[in-house]
Amino acid sequence: MPRAPAALKPKDAFVDWSILWQYRGAFWSGFTVTVWLSAACIVGSTIVGLLAGCLGSLPSFFLRRLISAYTELLRNIPLVVKLFFFYFVLGIPGIPAALLALTLHQSAYVADVVTAGIRSIARGQVDAGLSLGHGYWQIFRYLIIPQMLRIVIPPMTSQYVAIIKHSSVVGLVAVQDLTFQTQEINVATFRGFEAATATTVLYGLLALAMIAAMAALEKRFAWR
Amino acid sequence: MITFDKVNKYFNQLHVLKDVSFHIEAGEVVVVCGPSGSGKSTMLRCVNRLEKIDRGEIVVKGVNLNAPTSDIAKLRAEIGMVFQHFNLYPHLRVLDNLILAPIKVRGVSREVATDTAMKLLAKVGIQEKASAYPSQLSGGQQQRVAIARALAMQPKIMLFDEPTSALDPEMIREVLEVMVDLANEGMTMIVVTHEMGFARRVAHRVIFMDEGRVIEDEKPEVFFSQAKDPRARVFLSKILSHI
Ligand SMILES: Nc1ncnc2c1ncn2[C@@H]1O[C@H](COP(=O)(O)OP(=O)(O)OP(=O)(O)O)[C@@H](O)[C@H]1O
Ligand SMILES: [Mg+2]
């Protein structure tokens, strides 16, 4: 349960960085939970989002409405409320509830990115494919999907960083991620200043690593 | 080879093709011209049913395009199309642009398709760019690749929609050369273009369209010197003085 953080202004207090070393085990375990939880949700929301985005781009009115209802619903309910719904209402344990809430939440945004990516592909590509005798499925498979995958890399980067950031709420259902551990350390030592500083740096490094990895991926698949 | 019989086409309320009729024999080269918005592109896109028509009849190579039983994909594979903006696949290298359809549509083996593709690239003068991406080529080179890609399906008919109007003047000629060669080899061609020099050199007929109608359908020498319709004469004076 969230507790009120101890008000400890750095100027008033003697700063003691040694607690970081003392609690390295807690930091490390929180950090690994954040990393694997984020990684799993990145994979999950990419799969679900790609599927939803592709289905929503097919020339079917019904599918388009279905997918847009899906994304609207998920985007308009706060992440924490979804988390509570799975945990308290459906009674799913903390970790699966967190995985489910984060994955579904971000999959709606990924689906939008995918839909926009497909829409941005020039109409002329379909014309060219049709004129050469390809059917719609081949055009989707060999022209639309590969071009879309390349186009969505930059906007996907911010989606993935968002997952890392949003994963910080999972402590609310007792998943012991980095943010949860930080709070625990603060409660135990009243060293919120030191702990939160270290945590900020760790989240920053994670985001930077994500951005660098995606930039490398973008370069790897460059056409120009 | 290609017959349009009183073809009518609407975009919602807009009547873009009005009783368009003509017949094109195998081996004929027909240039289509006319003011912007007169329906030239739409007419061309009806030939391989990229657009469906509302009334009338189109028969291509003996296949009635209206008939629901017609195998349109098979017919399309035998009709090459070249677009104003090339429409090359940006994510595929030049060679892969050429071999995709032969492999996936025709089921040709990769080796045979590659062999044919390299010959075609040589024919249009860019075999050294086989492993480049389209974005690394000039506009003229891209359009020649696009022509080679269409030819890779060994089409019986080639459709060109303003193939040189997105190109710088110095690149227009290299593309027209390829098209002239093709015409001289006996390819059946419909070419929407305002390159009247090309029309004079290789066209068997010139079709002039205005507001969705075929206004003139003449041999080039007749069309250029004695077009009957005043709209055609105004159009000609504009574009000939422009060049
Ligand atoms: N997909 C479409 N939906 C609605 N209207 C269209 C569509 N395509 C073309 N039109 C309209 O149909 C008319 C004929 O267009 P078309 O492109 O065939 O003319 P065009 O002779 O090729 O002109 P241009 O020389 O500018 O290429 C125009 O008024 C155009 O705005
Ligand atoms: Mg046009």
Side-chain angles (χ1 to χ4, degrees), chain B residues 207-223:
Chain B
I207 288 179
F208 173 77
M209 291 182 69
D210 190 31
E211 293 180 357
R213 289 181 195 283
V214 172
I215 307 287
E216 302 268 358
D217 182 350
E218 292 288 357
K219 290 193 161 56
E221 51 279 18
V222 179
F223 178 71

PDB file of all heavy atoms in Angstrom, chain B residues 207-223:
ATOM      1  N   ILE B 207      -5.472   9.822 -79.345  1.00  0.00           N
ATOM      2  CA  ILE B 207      -6.833  10.023 -78.834  1.00  0.00           C
ATOM      3  C   ILE B 207      -6.804  11.281 -77.976  1.00  0.00           C
ATOM      4  O   ILE B 207      -5.956  11.417 -77.086  1.00  0.00           O
ATOM      5  CB  ILE B 207      -7.301   8.802 -78.011  1.00  0.00           C
ATOM      6  CG1 ILE B 207      -7.575   7.621 -78.949  1.00  0.00           C
ATOM      7  CG2 ILE B 207      -8.558   9.161 -77.206  1.00  0.00           C
ATOM      8  CD1 ILE B 207      -8.031   6.357 -78.236  1.00  0.00           C
ATOM      9  N   PHE B 208      -7.705  12.206 -78.280  1.00  0.00           N
ATOM     10  CA  PHE B 208      -7.803  13.429 -77.486  1.00  0.00           C
ATOM     11  C   PHE B 208      -9.074  13.363 -76.646  1.00  0.00           C
ATOM     12  O   PHE B 208     -10.161  13.120 -77.182  1.00  0.00           O
ATOM     13  CB  PHE B 208      -7.823  14.663 -78.401  1.00  0.00           C
ATOM     14  CG  PHE B 208      -8.081  15.951 -77.666  1.00  0.00           C
ATOM     15  CD1 PHE B 208      -7.065  16.560 -76.929  1.00  0.00           C
ATOM     16  CD2 PHE B 208      -9.332  16.548 -77.684  1.00  0.00           C
ATOM     17  CE1 PHE B 208      -7.300  17.739 -76.242  1.00  0.00           C
ATOM     18  CE2 PHE B 208      -9.580  17.731 -76.983  1.00  0.00           C
ATOM     19  CZ  PHE B 208      -8.556  18.330 -76.270  1.00  0.00           C
ATOM     20  N   MET B 209      -8.915  13.551 -75.338  1.00  0.00           N
ATOM     21  CA  MET B 209     -10.079  13.508 -74.437  1.00  0.00           C
ATOM     22  C   MET B 209     -10.327  14.868 -73.824  1.00  0.00           C
ATOM     23  O   MET B 209      -9.388  15.618 -73.545  1.00  0.00           O
ATOM     24  CB  MET B 209      -9.861  12.489 -73.308  1.00  0.00           C
ATOM     25  CG  MET B 209      -9.862  11.050 -73.771  1.00  0.00           C
ATOM     26  SD  MET B 209      -9.666   9.894 -72.389  1.00  0.00           S
ATOM     27  CE  MET B 209     -11.218  10.102 -71.535  1.00  0.00           C
ATOM     28  N   ASP B 210     -11.605  15.183 -73.621  1.00  0.00           N
ATOM     29  CA  ASP B 210     -11.955  16.405 -72.903  1.00  0.00           C
ATOM     30  C   ASP B 210     -13.250  16.148 -72.146  1.00  0.00           C
ATOM     31  O   ASP B 210     -14.207  15.605 -72.701  1.00  0.00           O
ATOM     32  CB  ASP B 210     -12.116  17.573 -73.884  1.00  0.00           C
ATOM     33  CG  ASP B 210     -12.242  18.905 -73.145  1.00  0.00           C
ATOM     34  OD1 ASP B 210     -11.652  19.033 -72.058  1.00  0.00           O
ATOM     35  OD2 ASP B 210     -12.935  19.799 -73.651  1.00  0.00           O
ATOM     36  N   GLU B 211     -13.271  16.510 -70.888  1.00  0.00           N
ATOM     37  CA  GLU B 211     -14.448  16.343 -70.023  1.00  0.00           C
ATOM     38  C   GLU B 211     -15.055  14.947 -70.119  1.00  0.00           C
ATOM     39  O   GLU B 211     -16.280  14.794 -70.201  1.00  0.00           O
ATOM     40  CB  GLU B 211     -15.487  17.419 -70.350  1.00  0.00           C
ATOM     41  CG  GLU B 211     -14.978  18.804 -69.976  1.00  0.00           C
ATOM     42  CD  GLU B 211     -15.982  19.907 -70.279  1.00  0.00           C
ATOM     43  OE1 GLU B 211     -17.052  19.595 -70.824  1.00  0.00           O
ATOM     44  OE2 GLU B 211     -15.671  21.056 -69.964  1.00  0.00           O
ATOM     45  N   GLY B 212     -14.196  13.940 -70.129  1.00  0.00           N
ATOM     46  CA  GLY B 212     -14.680  12.564 -70.075  1.00  0.00           C
ATOM     47  C   GLY B 212     -15.085  11.972 -71.407  1.00  0.00           C
ATOM     48  O   GLY B 212     -15.557  10.841 -71.464  1.00  0.00           O
ATOM     49  N   ARG B 213     -14.937  12.717 -72.493  1.00  0.00           N
ATOM     50  CA  ARG B 213     -15.306  12.190 -73.803  1.00  0.00           C
ATOM     51  C   ARG B 213     -14.086  12.060 -74.695  1.00  0.00           C
ATOM     52  O   ARG B 213     -13.138  12.828 -74.580  1.00  0.00           O
ATOM     53  CB  ARG B 213     -16.281  13.136 -74.519  1.00  0.00           C
ATOM     54  CG  ARG B 213     -17.655  13.157 -73.926  1.00  0.00           C
ATOM     55  CD  ARG B 213     -18.556  14.090 -74.715  1.00  0.00           C
ATOM     56  NE  ARG B 213     -19.745  14.388 -73.948  1.00  0.00           N
ATOM     57  CZ  ARG B 213     -20.762  13.534 -73.808  1.00  0.00           C
ATOM     58  NH1 ARG B 213     -20.742  12.362 -74.421  1.00  0.00           N
ATOM     59  NH2 ARG B 213     -21.796  13.860 -73.063  1.00  0.00           N
ATOM     60  N   VAL B 214     -14.162  11.086 -75.621  1.00  0.00           N
ATOM     61  CA  VAL B 214     -13.156  11.007 -76.679  1.00  0.00           C
ATOM     62  C   VAL B 214     -13.589  11.999 -77.758  1.00  0.00           C
ATOM     63  O   VAL B 214     -14.657  11.850 -78.354  1.00  0.00           O
ATOM     64  CB  VAL B 214     -13.059   9.583 -77.256  1.00  0.00           C
ATOM     65  CG1 VAL B 214     -12.158   9.576 -78.494  1.00  0.00           C
ATOM     66  CG2 VAL B 214     -12.522   8.633 -76.201  1.00  0.00           C
ATOM     67  N   ILE B 215     -12.772  13.033 -77.972  1.00  0.00           N
ATOM     68  CA  ILE B 215     -13.134  14.086 -78.928  1.00  0.00           C
ATOM     69  C   ILE B 215     -12.517  13.797 -80.294  1.00  0.00           C
ATOM     70  O   ILE B 215     -13.141  14.005 -81.328  1.00  0.00           O
ATOM     71  CB  ILE B 215     -12.643  15.464 -78.421  1.00  0.00           C
ATOM     72  CG1 ILE B 215     -13.134  15.724 -77.004  1.00  0.00           C
ATOM     73  CG2 ILE B 215     -13.056  16.575 -79.378  1.00  0.00           C
ATOM     74  CD1 ILE B 215     -14.592  16.031 -76.876  1.00  0.00           C
ATOM     75  N   GLU B 216     -11.253  13.351 -80.258  1.00  0.00           N
ATOM     76  CA  GLU B 216     -10.566  13.027 -81.509  1.00  0.00           C
ATOM     77  C   GLU B 216      -9.927  11.651 -81.365  1.00  0.00           C
ATOM     78  O   GLU B 216      -9.490  11.274 -80.290  1.00  0.00           O
ATOM     79  CB  GLU B 216      -9.446  14.043 -81.802  1.00  0.00           C
ATOM     80  CG  GLU B 216      -9.883  15.478 -81.904  1.00  0.00           C
ATOM     81  CD  GLU B 216     -10.213  15.884 -83.333  1.00  0.00           C
ATOM     82  OE1 GLU B 216     -10.061  15.037 -84.254  1.00  0.00           O
ATOM     83  OE2 GLU B 216     -10.629  17.039 -83.533  1.00  0.00           O
ATOM     84  N   ASP B 217      -9.888  10.922 -82.476  1.00  0.00           N
ATOM     85  CA  ASP B 217      -9.205   9.634 -82.517  1.00  0.00           C
ATOM     86  C   ASP B 217      -8.642   9.527 -83.926  1.00  0.00           C
ATOM     87  O   ASP B 217      -9.334   9.081 -84.837  1.00  0.00           O
ATOM     88  CB  ASP B 217     -10.198   8.510 -82.200  1.00  0.00           C
ATOM     89  CG  ASP B 217      -9.515   7.135 -82.174  1.00  0.00           C
ATOM     90  OD1 ASP B 217      -8.344   7.042 -82.575  1.00  0.00           O
ATOM     91  OD2 ASP B 217     -10.179   6.163 -81.754  1.00  0.00           O
ATOM     92  N   GLU B 218      -7.410  10.011 -84.107  1.00  0.00           N
ATOM     93  CA  GLU B 218      -6.858  10.219 -85.445  1.00  0.00           C
ATOM     94  C   GLU B 218      -5.432   9.707 -85.542  1.00  0.00           C
ATOM     95  O   GLU B 218      -4.754   9.526 -84.528  1.00  0.00           O
ATOM     96  CB  GLU B 218      -6.824  11.728 -85.763  1.00  0.00           C
ATOM     97  CG  GLU B 218      -8.173  12.393 -85.927  1.00  0.00           C
ATOM     98  CD  GLU B 218      -8.877  12.004 -87.217  1.00  0.00           C
ATOM     99  OE1 GLU B 218      -8.278  11.248 -88.033  1.00  0.00           O
ATOM    100  OE2 GLU B 218     -10.022  12.440 -87.415  1.00  0.00           O
ATOM    101  N   LYS B 219      -4.964   9.552 -86.775  1.00  0.00           N
ATOM    102  CA  LYS B 219      -3.529   9.339 -86.990  1.00  0.00           C
ATOM    103  C   LYS B 219      -2.801  10.610 -86.573  1.00  0.00           C
ATOM    104  O   LYS B 219      -3.351  11.699 -86.720  1.00  0.00           O
ATOM    105  CB  LYS B 219      -3.263   9.058 -88.481  1.00  0.00           C
ATOM    106  CG  LYS B 219      -3.781   7.715 -88.955  1.00  0.00           C
ATOM    107  CD  LYS B 219      -3.201   7.404 -90.328  1.00  0.00           C
ATOM    108  CE  LYS B 219      -3.301   5.922 -90.658  1.00  0.00           C
ATOM    109  NZ  LYS B 219      -4.693   5.411 -90.573  1.00  0.00           N
ATOM    110  N   PRO B 220      -1.555  10.483 -86.053  1.00  0.00           N
ATOM    111  CA  PRO B 220      -0.865  11.676 -85.556  1.00  0.00           C
ATOM    112  C   PRO B 220      -0.776  12.797 -86.587  1.00  0.00           C
ATOM    113  O   PRO B 220      -1.035  13.957 -86.258  1.00  0.00           O
ATOM    114  CB  PRO B 220       0.531  11.174 -85.199  1.00  0.00           C
ATOM    115  CG  PRO B 220       0.435   9.704 -85.120  1.00  0.00           C
ATOM    116  CD  PRO B 220      -0.772   9.257 -85.866  1.00  0.00           C
ATOM    117  N   GLU B 221      -0.436  12.441 -87.840  1.00  0.00           N
ATOM    118  CA  GLU B 221      -0.254  13.523 -88.815  1.00  0.00           C
ATOM    119  C   GLU B 221      -1.566  14.295 -89.027  1.00  0.00           C
ATOM    120  O   GLU B 221      -1.568  15.524 -89.129  1.00  0.00           O
ATOM    121  CB  GLU B 221       0.350  13.020 -90.127  1.00  0.00           C
ATOM    122  CG  GLU B 221      -0.303  11.824 -90.803  1.00  0.00           C
ATOM    123  CD  GLU B 221       0.087  10.446 -90.239  1.00  0.00           C
ATOM    124  OE1 GLU B 221       0.606  10.374 -89.098  1.00  0.00           O
ATOM    125  OE2 GLU B 221      -0.156   9.438 -90.937  1.00  0.00           O
ATOM    126  N   VAL B 222      -2.687  13.555 -88.995  1.00  0.00           N
ATOM    127  CA  VAL B 222      -3.984  14.229 -89.128  1.00  0.00           C
ATOM    128  C   VAL B 222      -4.272  15.070 -87.889  1.00  0.00           C
ATOM    129  O   VAL B 222      -4.673  16.234 -87.983  1.00  0.00           O
ATOM    130  CB  VAL B 222      -5.114  13.192 -89.331  1.00  0.00           C
ATOM    131  CG1 VAL B 222      -6.472  13.876 -89.449  1.00  0.00           C
ATOM    132  CG2 VAL B 222      -4.822  12.327 -90.540  1.00  0.00           C
ATOM    133  N   PHE B 223      -4.039  14.456 -86.708  1.00  0.00           N
ATOM    134  CA  PHE B 223      -4.352  15.152 -85.456  1.00  0.00           C
ATOM    135  C   PHE B 223      -3.568  16.461 -85.343  1.00  0.00           C
ATOM    136  O   PHE B 223      -4.124  17.497 -84.996  1.00  0.00           O
ATOM    137  CB  PHE B 223      -4.031  14.250 -84.263  1.00  0.00           C
ATOM    138  CG  PHE B 223      -4.283  14.893 -82.926  1.00  0.00           C
ATOM    139  CD1 PHE B 223      -5.578  15.135 -82.477  1.00  0.00           C
ATOM    140  CD2 PHE B 223      -3.220  15.285 -82.117  1.00  0.00           C
ATOM    141  CE1 PHE B 223      -5.811  15.738 -81.256  1.00  0.00           C
ATOM    142  CE2 PHE B 223      -3.451  15.886 -80.890  1.00  0.00           C
ATOM    143  CZ  PHE B 223      -4.744  16.109 -80.462  1.00  0.00           C
TER     144      PHE B 223
END
